[in-house]
Amino acid sequence: MIIEKPKTFQEYIERQDETKKEYLYQMEALLKEVLPDAKEKISWGMPTFYMEKNIIHFAAFKTHIGIYPGAKAIEVFKEELQEYSTSKGAIRIPYQDPLPKKLIQMIALWCYTNRKKEKQSS
């Protein structure tokens, strides 16, 4: 049986269980607040905010919500991210922890600003 991939944020979120939905809707709202002009799409199977280039992705996993701002953002915010599990381009926030709203918004704004700078220099 082939299951169609979600095409919208709403479709992606509604396929998750209740705990995950709550975190995903919070994440969507946080990002929309600081990225009001960004467009939404599903990229790499994840909800993604973009403006010509991808800005930031997020996704639900079994034990955590993943945020994907890219490797440069992880490096820039490494001090602030010490209490979270991170890898080259990912931040993992366990479902039992509240979302670090201000930190997520700071990272998203940094990503947006950095993408704009990259565009201007190319």
Side-chain angles (χ1 to χ4, degrees):
M1 179 164 140
I2 297 174
I3 298 174
E4 251 189 75
K5 293 180 181 179
K7 293 179 179 64
T8 66
F9 279 25
Q10 181 78 20
E11 219 178 299
Y12 178 91
I13 294 170
E14 285 302 315
R15 290 183 183 187
Q16 310 301 322
D17 65 40
E18 289 307 312
T19 300
K20 293 173 186 170
K21 281 183 192 178
E22 181 182 334
Y23 274 80
L24 292 167
Y25 278 124
Q26 282 181 43
M27 179 66 69
E28 179 185 24
L30 285 171
L31 294 173
K32 277 184 177 180
E33 191 176 312
V34 295
L35 302 170
D37 298 329
K39 295 176 184 165
E40 300 176 3
K41 68 178 178 178
I42 300 296
S43 180
W44 297 87
M46 298 180 279
T48 303
F49 283 90
Y50 75 101
M51 289 183 79
E52 294 182 30
K53 288 187 172 189
N54 292 340
I55 299 169
I56 194 166
H57 313 270
F58 63 97
F61 292 92
K62 185 176 181 179
T63 61
H64 67 276
I65 188 164
I67 305 167
Y68 300 88
K72 286 182 186 177
I74 301 296
E75 183 61 31
V76 168
F77 290 94
K78 67 181 174 189
E79 294 296 317
E80 294 89 341
L81 291 168
Q82 284 183 7
E83 68 183 270
Y84 302 100
S85 170
T86 61
S87 60
K88 185 177 180 183
I91 304 162
R92 290 174 284 286
I93 301 171
Y95 289 119
Q96 69 267 18
D97 293 352
L99 289 175
K101 296 174 183 178
K102 294 292 181 202
L103 178 57
I104 291 167
Q105 289 182 323
M106 285 179 8
I107 292 168
L109 281 173
W110 183 89
C111 290
Y112 171 70
T113 302
N114 194 51
R115 300 300 186 272
K116 279 178 63 174
K117 285 179 188 174
E118 286 174 0
K119 181 185 172 206
Q120 291 169 351
S121 66
S122 55

